[in-house]
Amino acid sequence: MTTIADPHLDGRYAWLRLAVSVLAATVASVGMWAVILVLPAVQAEFGVGRADASLPYTATMLGFAAGNFWLGRFVDRFGIAVVLTAAAVALAAGFGLAAVSRNIWDFTLAQGLLIGVGTSAGFGPLLADVSHWFRRRRGIAVATAACGNYLAGAIWPLGLRGILAEDGWRAAYLVIAVICLAVIVPLALMLRRRLPVAAMASGAPGGPAQPMAAGFSPATLQWLLALAGIGCCVAMSMPQVHIVAYCADLGYGVAVGAEMLSLMLAAGIVSRLASGLLADWIGGVRTLLLGSVLQGLALLLYLPFDGLASLYVVSLIFGLSQGGIVPSYAIIVREYLPAREAGQRIGFVIMATILGMALGGWMSGWIFDATGSYRMAFLNGIAFNLLNVAIMVLVLWRTRGPRPGAAALEPA
C-alpha cells in the first residue's frame, strides 16, 4: 500500500506533542481518582451506606464514558485544543460545586455532569489525537499518552494526602479546581496545530480491507470490542475503586489504602509502556488478550492473601498485569478501523470500558453491603474477566492474514 510521507509523523514535533498530552492527561485525570480518595470521608459525613457512597464514583464514570464518546466526536471536528479548554472549565466548575455540596446527591451530580465529562478529555480524545501523529511507533505512543491517567492516580493521592488529613476533602477539592484551570488551558493552547494530511490519508496501517482480516465487519468488531471492554473493566474496577475502603475495613487505614492505590497505578504505568512496545511487535489483539489473562490471575491472588505485606505485593502484581489493557483497545481500533473516524470509534469503545468501571464500582459496593465482605466481589470480577478473555480469543481465532500493522513497517 502506498502511503503519504510526512515529516511530522513520528517526528520531533510528534514526540513533543505527546509529552504535552501526557501532562494534560495527568492533570485532567484527577477526576477519576479524587472521588476514590474521599469515599470514606464522604460516606461518614453524609451518613450513607457503602453502595450509596459508591454512587458518586459511578456517576463520575458515567460522565467519563459519555464524554469519551461525545468529546471524541468533537475532536474529529474541532481538534483537541478546543476540547481540552472546555474540559478545564468543566473540571474547575465541577470540583468547586462538589466542594460546597450539601448532600450525597449534590455531590453525585457535580461528579457526574461536570467532573466526569471534563476528565474524559484527558483519555479517549487525547489517545485518538496522539494516534494520528504516529505510524511506526503508534503502539508505544498511545500507551504513553494513556499513562497520564495512571500518573494521575499515582501522583494525586500522595499530593492530596496532607490536605485531606489537615483540612478535609472540601478544601482538597477547591485546590484541585484551581490547578485544573491554571494548568490545562495553557497546555491546550500548545496543541493547536492541526493534523497533517498524511495522518488522514494513511487510514489503518493495513488499509481499508483490514477490518475483514478479523472476519468481522467494522460495526461488529466495534461492538465486540465494547462488550469485551465492559467485561475487563468490571473486573479491573474491584481493586482500583475499593482498595482504599478494603484496607480501611481490614484495619490498615485509609492512608495505607491510598499508598496501595498509588503503587498499583505506578505499576500500571510500567505495564502500559511495556504493552505499547509489545503491541508494535505483535499487534493490539494479542497484547490485550495477554493482559486480560494476567489480570484474571492477579485477581485470584486477592482471595487467599489479605495480610498487609501480601496486599502490597498482590496490588503490585495487579498493576503490572492490567495497565496495558485499555490502551490496547485504542490500538486495535486504529489497526482495523478508518482513521477519519478514530475519535468517535475510540471514544465509543473507551466509553464501554468506562461503563464497565462504573458498573463494577457500584456492583462491588452492593455485593459488600449484601455479604459483609469483598470476597464475592472479587469472584464477580473474575467471572466478568473471563467474558473479556473469551471475546478476544474469538477475535484472535477469526483473524486472518499478516499481523495488523505489519504493512506500516514495510517500505512505502
Side-chain angles (χ1 to χ4, degrees):
M1 175 183 175
T2 303
T3 58
I4 301 175
D6 192 296
H8 294 114
L9 296 181
D10 295 283
R12 181 179 301 175
Y13 174 76
W15 291 102
L16 174 62
R17 190 179 181 94
L18 174 60
V20 173
S21 298
V22 171
L23 290 176
T26 302
V27 179
S29 296
V30 64
M32 284 187 63
W33 309 112
V35 65
I36 298 174
L37 293 173
V38 304
L39 189 153
V42 168
Q43 179 182 1
E45 180 172 331
F46 293 138
V48 295
R50 184 63 53 81
D52 285 345
S54 298
L55 283 177
Y57 174 81
T58 300
T60 302
M61 301 311 286
L62 290 174
F64 188 66
N68 268 279
F69 178 64
W70 288 109
L71 296 187
R73 294 173 66 94
F74 292 151
V75 165
D76 287 338
R77 294 183 61 185
F78 305 114
I80 192 63
V82 173
V83 170
L84 275 178
T85 301
V89 175
L91 285 168
F95 277 108
L97 290 174
V100 297
S101 58
R102 296 169 295 178
N103 53 56
I104 191 67
W105 306 113
D106 291 344
F107 184 76
T108 299
L109 286 174
Q111 285 286 158
L113 296 179
L114 291 171
I115 296 175
V117 174
T119 296
S120 69
F123 199 63
L126 264 180
L127 299 191
D129 179 77
V130 166
S131 73
H132 288 305
W133 294 88
F134 292 86
R135 180 191 300 278
R136 299 178 64 87
R137 297 292 178 262
R138 180 177 294 155
I140 186 60
V142 169
T144 300
C147 285
N149 179 266
Y150 274 4
L151 281 170
I155 294 172
W156 281 101
L158 298 179
L160 294 174
R161 185 169 55 180
I163 300 175
L164 289 169
E166 296 180 9
D167 302 308
W169 68 270
R170 294 180 185 272
Y173 264 45
L174 290 175
V175 170
I176 295 172
V178 173
I179 292 176
C180 286
L181 196 60
V183 175
I184 297 176
V185 173
L187 292 175
L189 294 176
M190 298 175 66
L191 300 176
R192 288 177 295 174
R193 182 181 295 187
R194 301 296 293 179
L195 295 172
V197 175
M200 291 294 100
S202 63
Q210 196 61 263
M212 298 310 297
F216 302 106
S217 68
T220 300
L221 180 59
Q222 180 170 304
W223 279 102
L224 281 174
L225 292 175
L227 183 58
I230 291 174
C232 81
C233 288
V234 167
M236 192 182 299
S237 69
M238 174 55 235
Q240 286 190 2
V241 177
H242 289 273
I243 191 65
V244 176
Y246 184 44
C247 287
D249 292 338
L250 292 174
Y252 301 131
V254 172
V256 168
E259 290 177 356
M260 214 167 286
L261 177 63
S262 293
L263 175 65
M264 184 188 301
L265 299 176
I269 295 170
V270 176
S271 175
R272 286 192 167 174
L273 293 174
S275 295
L277 290 170
L278 189 62
D280 283 333
W281 181 36
I282 66 173
V285 174
R286 291 177 175 84
T287 302
L288 195 153
L289 180 58
L290 176 61
S292 298
V293 171
L294 294 176
Q295 174 177 261
L297 294 175
L299 283 172
L300 280 172
L301 294 177
Y302 277 103
L303 296 175
F305 300 109
D306 61 3
L308 181 59
S310 60
L311 278 177
Y312 273 109
V313 173
V314 173
S315 295
L316 175 63
I317 294 173
F318 181 80
L320 290 172
S321 301
Q322 55 77 44
I325 294 177
V326 173
S328 293
Y329 289 107
I331 296 169
I332 293 170
V333 168
R334 286 309 318 277
E335 286 175 343
Y336 291 108
L337 300 174
R340 292 186 180 275
E341 302 170 359
Q344 61 179 309
R345 289 189 180 273
I346 290 176
F348 181 81
V349 176
I350 295 297
M351 177 179 69
T353 67
I354 303 309
L355 289 175
M357 292 290 290
L359 175 63
W362 173 83
M363 190 180 292
S364 296
W366 181 85
I367 291 173
F368 176 87
D369 285 343
T371 64
S373 78
Y374 280 117
R375 181 175 181 83
M376 290 303 299
F378 280 116
L379 291 173
N380 177 68
I382 292 169
F384 271 92
N385 193 73
L386 289 174
L387 170 65
N388 173 50
V389 170
I391 292 173
M392 297 318 300
V393 168
L394 173 64
V395 173
L396 183 61
W397 177 63
R398 294 287 296 274
T399 297
R400 297 291 184 267
R403 172 182 69 80
L409 301 180
E410 299 173 357

